Amino acid sequence: MKQNLLTLILLSFFGSVFGKNNSGTVLPPTTISLYQDAVFYDMYASTVSQPLPTDAVRLSNSTYTRKMTDTQLNAFGNVVTMNITIGALCDNYDRLAHVFLAFAPKGATSYDTNTVKKLEIGRFVTPFMNKNISPTTVPYTFQIDNLGAIFKDPNLRAQFDFWVEFSVYGVPYAAQTQVSGCASRIDTFKGSLSFTTDTNTAIPAVNNFLLTMATVKSMNNYSATDEPGTTMRILSFELLNTINNANFYLITSNHGANSGGEEYVRRQHYVYLNDAQIFTYRPGGISCEPFRQYNTQGNGIYGGTPQSTAWWTSWNNWCPGNSIPIRKISVGNLEAGNHAFTITVPEAQFVDQQGDFPLSVYLQGEATNILGTKEMTVTDVKIYPNPASEFIKISSTKKVKESEIYSMEGRLVKSFKGGESEIRDLQTGAYILKVTFEDLTSMKHKIIKK
């Protein structure tokens, strides 16, 4: 199997990974610690040269990565909990954070985080924290049992090294003037991350199937959509064999803190498989009062007095100091053939073209044949510059066959081969660019001629 196919489609086969006995007992848990008080720094500053966490590599001021050892991977069972603790330093605002499982080339001492295949296995939001007011730490817990099959997978482990990326975005500028002891400092947060794992021997082993699909892929209606004018992402793939007990693992969060922004309006999200709706959800829906204790810095979200559950659920999509849900969407058995996973938020507005719904999703199930898949048929495409005045360029990991530019009324105004065209002759305004790839799949994107 070609390496480029393996880096896109992670497929494995294993037999008796987890033992089983008649009692169905759960063995004592094991703790695997990866990061202990790792310090994160201003995400926009020059990369620091401060000491690193044990065995870690600094990818940026806001991101560390660490390779998991065979001993650590061997310790995993089929019950997996990820525990994270974030400590206050000199960022007193709510910030987005992520944990990724990266599949890097075997034997590499580091890797390009922008090109390797990754799964997002945890997303959370820091609270408004003042480092001088207790409590100064906040815990997060993720139940991610499905990762046990990945960590124990001999086929994947023969092809890749597993690295865990830990990202906490932050800037210290407000805290430098608002928090005593933070003047001139650029350290933002500190974080610890560990896994606790058990083996439930009552759960039988399966042949694991894994397909990477999207990792923090932007979704909005003005610059990141697969249907112009809508908030929609379409991920297409082809299976050569049936996948049993298939599940999509989905993470989204709504951002846009401008007036009327998408952080403050709850929208219904719809998920389709092959044009049939398989799931719908509305983010939020819980009270943020349990997390008030961690929000020790005065802010405009909590105010000075507790609020009712009805008040919170009328507008909030997430709580500062809480994790973002990982939504498991079970679809039963997926037959061989072409499939399309679509997520859309029809009512999203993105006032002033601000905000984003970063999307992560992957497919996991039970393989009936370890060679039972092909590469995904939709990949990331960049259209630039946009707006443009003289040329439009298309950058894609797929070869572009031809492109067409349509007026907003649907009239074809220009066609060209390949991924670049002069557009000086077009009138100023908005157009729809249709890109067709060599495999005859296509996508549409709104462009602006200035």
Side-chain angles (χ1 to χ4, degrees):
M1 184 178 292
K2 294 181 179 179
Q3 182 66 24
N4 66 341
L5 180 60
L6 284 170
T7 59
L8 181 61
I9 298 176
L10 308 175
L11 185 63
S12 67
F13 180 89
F14 67 98
S16 55
V17 171
F18 304 123
K20 180 179 180 180
N21 59 32
N22 293 331
S23 64
T25 58
V26 178
L27 302 179
T30 298
T31 297
I32 301 164
S33 179
L34 289 185
Y35 296 95
Q36 184 64 41
D37 291 332
V39 178
F40 299 88
Y41 297 89
D42 180 358
M43 63 187 292
Y44 297 123
S46 299
T47 303
V48 301
S49 57
Q50 298 295 326
L52 290 164
T54 302
D55 296 327
V57 174
R58 178 178 285 119
L59 296 178
S60 69
N61 282 352
S62 57
T63 302
Y64 294 103
T65 189
R66 180 177 173 180
K67 182 167 67 175
M68 301 182 76
T69 67
D70 284 338
T71 299
Q72 290 169 333
L73 292 169
N74 291 341
F76 276 95
N78 54 5
V79 179
V80 181
T81 304
M82 181 169 64
N83 299 297
I84 296 170
T85 301
I86 294 298
L89 290 175
C90 288
D91 187 346
N92 55 345
Y93 271 70
D94 55 335
R95 308 295 185 189
L96 196 58
H98 310 265
V99 181
F100 302 100
L101 177 62
F103 299 90
K106 198 73 177 174
T109 56
S110 187
Y111 57 88
D112 185 348
T113 185
N114 297 308
T115 59
V116 301
K117 289 300 166 184
K118 299 190 291 189
L119 306 179
E120 185 175 14
I121 61 175
R123 184 185 301 182
F124 58 95
V125 183
T126 67
F128 295 83
M129 287 192 292
N130 184 319
K131 72 179 184 64
N132 302 310
I133 303 175
S134 183
T136 57
T137 61
V138 55
Y140 304 86
T141 300
F142 298 85
Q143 197 65 40
I144 47 176
D145 296 343
N146 63 295
L147 291 188
I150 299 172
F151 290 139
K152 300 288 285 189
D153 188 319
N155 204 34
L156 283 177
R157 287 171 58 177
Q159 296 293 329
F160 304 100
D161 285 333
F162 292 10
W163 295 65
V164 174
E165 288 186 20
F166 191 10
S167 297
V168 184
Y169 302 127
V171 294
Y173 315 135
Q176 288 173 348
T177 61
Q178 297 173 358
V179 178
S180 177
C182 282
S184 301
R185 287 174 53 172
I186 65 168
D187 51 332
T188 55
F189 300 96
K190 62 181 177 180
S192 299
L193 185 156
S194 66
F195 297 98
T196 299
T197 182
D198 298 345
T199 297
N200 185 343
T201 56
I203 300 175
V206 297
N207 302 330
N208 185 54
F209 170 88
L210 179 64
L211 175 67
T212 62
M213 297 180 66
T215 305
V216 194
K217 184 183 181 75
S218 288
M219 182 171 71
N220 56 57
N221 64 8
Y222 60 93
S223 66
T225 176
D226 292 321
E227 188 66 43
T230 69
T231 303
M232 179 183 293
R233 279 302 195 184
I234 304 171
L235 301 169
S236 300
F237 56 97
E238 183 180 0
L239 302 176
L240 298 185
N241 295 90
T242 297
I243 303 302
N244 294 331
N245 297 321
N247 300 284
F248 293 101
Y249 292 88
L250 170 68
I251 302 176
T252 63
S253 52
N254 298 17
H255 304 281
N258 54 308
S259 179
E262 292 301 319
E263 287 186 15
Y264 309 128
V265 184
R266 296 179 62 204
R267 311 286 193 188
Q268 198 72 27
H269 294 48
Y270 299 91
V271 180
Y272 297 85
L273 181 62
N274 305 330
D275 297 324
Q277 183 178 312
I278 57 173
F279 195 68
T280 184
Y281 64 99
R282 194 179 179 203
I286 65 171
S287 171
C288 291
E289 286 302 323
F291 308 98
R292 178 182 291 273
Q293 60 181 314
Y294 304 114
N295 285 265
T296 56
Q297 169 70 43
N299 60 83
I301 301 297
Y302 276 90
T305 57
Q307 298 288 346
S308 67
T309 298
W311 184 84
W312 284 110
T313 58
S314 69
W315 66 273
N316 78 303
N317 284 287
W318 42 261
C319 302
N322 192 20
S323 57
I324 302 298
I326 302 172
R327 293 181 164 88
K328 178 181 178 181
I329 306 173
S330 299
V331 293
N333 299 340
L334 282 182
E335 300 297 326
N338 293 304
H339 301 275
F341 176 97
T342 302
I343 179 169
T344 182
V345 189
E347 296 180 351
Q349 297 180 11
F350 297 99
V351 174
D352 299 326
Q353 293 195 338
Q354 295 186 42
D356 194 25
F357 295 169
L359 160 71
S360 290
V361 61
Y362 61 93
L363 174 65
Q364 188 176 15
E366 301 174 15
T368 57
N369 186 319
I370 63 172
L371 302 178
T373 186
K374 286 177 62 177
E375 294 191 35
M376 290 171 57
T377 58
V378 172
T379 59
D380 286 336
V381 179
K382 294 182 180 178
I383 311 296
Y384 64 96
N386 190 19
S389 58
E390 298 183 351
F391 291 89
I392 194 77
K393 297 182 180 181
I394 305 162
S395 175
S396 172
T397 53
K398 281 186 181 179
K399 187 175 181 181
V400 176
K401 180 180 180 182
E402 61 182 5
S403 302
E404 298 168 317
I405 299 177
Y406 292 84
S407 69
M408 297 303 290
E409 293 75 31
R411 179 174 58 87
L412 178 66
V413 297
K414 192 177 188 68
S415 61
F416 55 95
K417 298 292 184 180
E420 182 176 349
S421 176
E422 182 180 334
I423 59 170
R424 291 189 183 96
D425 56 327
L426 297 184
Q427 295 183 354
T428 300
Y431 295 86
I432 301 300
L433 172 67
K434 179 181 178 181
V435 181
T436 300
F437 303 100
E438 287 288 341
D439 63 2
L440 300 183
T441 61
S442 64
M443 62 151 289
K444 295 178 182 179
H445 197 90
K446 182 179 179 181
I447 62 172
I448 303 295
K449 166 65 166 62
K450 63 179 181 179

